[in-house]
């Protein structure tokens, strides 16, 4: 029995396919369309999922959608009724897409895919809850979902056992910690629904001097529930987010081209501290209400890895699980599993232990591409040579494009579509920025370490929680190790590490371990294989093109090694198109 | 040559059509907003109806709202509401 899950029309459109309770394939539309955070109907992602399973749409038993469109539409109408006449511009802007596509999903499915079977609509936060709990290793857990907004809910909590999920309470729009974070993101000159992680990365450079001022924006009760003082916000009726009053208190909105000043850093620091305090307050209450020792979290705020890294030390929960695509993209997985396990009452039989759920390419397919393009390359004799030579090249301070196996699910590159380099070189952050990434200097790069070596270099929770494998937890780096890996040590001594297990990705694990033998430090820089503003590469063509337009020295694509200098004919200027 | 000409012609037509649609949409939606949203909003305000709860309450113990969302029969999920 096949269930197709779909998420689209807001941000990060995605699709996934579940076969008899096992996730066969999952991917975001942006990887195919090459439009970052693509919101459109995920036709390419759906076609990929069907192709991966070797089926056509007629074999799909149910299609699930990640929200109740009419409930969301009702909320929008309430916003316009509340704000009349100020909301006219947003009304004119928003309505055509609602009337033409957002309320007509069954018609779109029929028109674009020829699908006429049942379409099931699952509440947005229920889809978030299902997206994490039903693929977690837990048999029971408390659940917290926190994002900008779904239909009406912005935050929900509940509990789950077996295949039963119950959401008990919710906080409703316009009161949203996610939208508060987005408002500050906009205020700091970064793009909303895209660059919240930059604010998180900026926070350690500041001190929380604006904490008390920010605290006045939010009324937090003893049970962790909160409401925002809406006189500081206009997002409930305008296309912008902070109000005039907000700007009077926190200063003018930073233009993207302006320098990041200490005020911006202090604001980011204050916001991060406030977010952590709000989250801990809610989690303490949820622990008391549910009595569960395991926690599942989903929603965009669950991608705040700094906050995630503090959960087990600051709350009473003993274990935590977050799936790699914790944001809206992940809800396609939620609806598919909710339909299979909860609505159709089938037993759970899948745990998401790795993120390699996207398209993969065989050696023959890659060789065909390279030959057709006339690319000069060499072939590794075996995995041992691949691992040793790659580690040696990294140790020699080369930047490596790493394209192996199936693409990752979720926003992080986890060793399938990654750029790898030497974290021991203090200049490597600058080298990567100049050669490839063109990103803000304040943003640190992330380390990858074999799970068995993690506690030697990082002050992780013990045992190390599974979300660390998905780069979802930030932990302090052991003080003695900080000078050894300057390129991945943030200004506050922390690192957003990824732990890797041999069984997840043997070649990737092998390169990390082999680099350790050569350098004495079994850690690599792992950053996403893309340039700023573009989605992570998906196909061999994307990877080759990205390498040839940047300063990546070598591309290790399956068992093929491509040296950029040997292929000078396809040069293009990646810096000229790098955006936010 | 002729293919390029017709392609350009078609693109121009599409652009004009798109602009026409945008203008028509704006006109009709403005009317809908003024005729539909406007009076409803005014009457609701007179009746003290709130469409968004934006108040803060220092007396209230909790802002959590009851939800109790659990699995329902499959027919419920076939609805968009």
């Amino acid at each position: 029995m096949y269930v197709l899950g779909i998420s689209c029309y807001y941000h990060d459109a995605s699709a996934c396919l579940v076969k008899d309770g096992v996730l066969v394939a999952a991917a975001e539309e942006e990887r195919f369309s090459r439009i970052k955070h693509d919101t459109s109907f995920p036709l390419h992602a759906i076609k990929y999922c069907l192709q991966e399973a070797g089926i056509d749409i007629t074999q799909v038993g149910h299609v699930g959608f990640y929200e109740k469109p009419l409930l969301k539409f009702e909320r929008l109408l309430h916003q316009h009724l509340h704000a009349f006449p100020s909301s006219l511009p947003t009304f004119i802007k928003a309505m055509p897409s609602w009337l033409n596509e957002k309320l007509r999903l069954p018609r779109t499915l029929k028109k674009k895919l020829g699908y006429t079977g049942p379409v099931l609509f699952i509440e947005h936060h229920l889809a978030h809850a299902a997206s994490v709990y039903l693929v977690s290793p837990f048999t029971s857990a408390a659940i917290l979902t926190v994002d900008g907004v779904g239909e009406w809910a912005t935050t929900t909590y509940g509990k789950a056992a077996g295949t039963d999920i119950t959401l008990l309470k919710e906080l409703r729009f316009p009161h949203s910690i996610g939208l508060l974070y987005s408002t500050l993101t906009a205020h700091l000159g970064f793009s909303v629904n895209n660059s919240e992680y930059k604010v998180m990365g900026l926070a350690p450079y500041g001190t929380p001097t604006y904490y008390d001022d920010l605290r006045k924006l939010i009324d937090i009760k003893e049970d962790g529930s909160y409401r925002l003082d809406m006189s500081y916000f206009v997002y409930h009726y305008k296309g912008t987010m902070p109000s005039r009053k907000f700007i009077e208190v926190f200063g003018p909105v930073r233009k993207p081209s302006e320098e990041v000043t200490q005020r911006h850093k202090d604001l980011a620091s204050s916001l991060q501290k406030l977010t952590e305090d709000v989250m801990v307050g809610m989690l303490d209450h949820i622990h008391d209400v549910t009595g569960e020792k395991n926690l599942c979290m989903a929603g965009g705020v669950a991608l705040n890895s700094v906050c995630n890294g503090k959960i087990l030390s600051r709350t009473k929960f003993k274990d935590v699980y977050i799936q790699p695509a914790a944001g809206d993209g992940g809800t396609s997985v939620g609806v598919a599993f909710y339909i299979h396990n909860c609505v159709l009452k089938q037993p759970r039989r899948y745990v998401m232990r790795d993120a390699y759920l996207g398209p993969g390419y065989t050696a023959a397919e890659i060789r065909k591409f390279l030959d057709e393009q006339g690319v000069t390359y060499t072939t590794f004799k075996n995995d041992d040579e691949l691992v040793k030579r790659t580690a040696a090249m990294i140790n020699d301070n080369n930047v490596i494009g790493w394209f192996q196996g199936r693409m990752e699910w979720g926003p992080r590159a986890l060793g399938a579509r990654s750029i790898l380099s030497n974290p021991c070189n203090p200049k490597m952050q600058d080298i990567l920025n100049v050669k490839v990434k063109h990103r803000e200097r304040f943003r640190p790069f992330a380390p990858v370490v074999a799970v068995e070596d993690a506690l030697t270099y990082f002050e992780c929770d013990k045992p190390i929680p599974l979300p660390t494998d998905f780069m979802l937890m930030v932990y302090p780096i052991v003080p003695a190790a900080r000078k050894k890996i300057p390129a991945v040590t943030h200004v506050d001594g922390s690192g957003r590490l990824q732990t890797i297990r041999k069984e997840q990705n043997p070649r990737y694990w092998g390169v990390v371990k082999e680099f350790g033998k050569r350098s004495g430090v079994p850690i690599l820089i792992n950053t996403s294989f893309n340039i700023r503003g573009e989605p992570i590469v998906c196909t061999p063509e994307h990877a080759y093109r990205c390498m040839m337009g940047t300063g990546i020295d070598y591309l290790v694509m399956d068992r093929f090694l491509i040296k950029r200098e040997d292929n000078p004919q396809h040069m293009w200027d990646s810096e000229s198109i790098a955006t936010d | 040559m002729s293919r390029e000409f017709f392609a350009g012609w078609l693109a121009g037509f599409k652009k004009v059509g798109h602009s026409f649609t945008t203008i028509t949409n704006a006109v009709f939606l403005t009317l809908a907003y003024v005729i539909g949203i406007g009076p409803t909003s005014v009457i609701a305000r007179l009746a003290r109806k709130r469409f968004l709860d934006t108040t803060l309450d220092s007396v209230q113990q909790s802002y959590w709202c009851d939800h109790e969302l659990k699995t329902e029969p499959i027919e419920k999920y076939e609805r968009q509401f």
Side-chain angles (χ1 to χ4, degrees), chain A residues 122-136 141-146 156-160 165-167 296-299 321 323 326-327 330-331 333-335 337-338 342 348, chain B residues 69:
Chain A
I122 312 297
E123 285 86 348
H124 183 75
H125 278 259
L126 194 54
H128 269 312
S131 80
V132 57
Y133 170 70
L134 293 173
V135 301
S136 77
I143 301 173
L144 173 65
T145 67
V146 197
T156 69
Y157 76 80
K159 59 182 181 179
I165 298 176
T166 305
L167 293 183
C296 287
M297 285 211 313
Y321 183 81
Q323 64 121 331
T331 51
V333 165
V335 292
F337 276 97
Y338 191 79
C342 302
R348 291 170 62 192
Chain B
L69 195 60

Side-chain angles (χ1 to χ4, degrees), chain A residues 109 187 217 288 562:
Chain A
L109 282 166
H187 186 76
L217 273 61
D288 292 345
I562 302 133

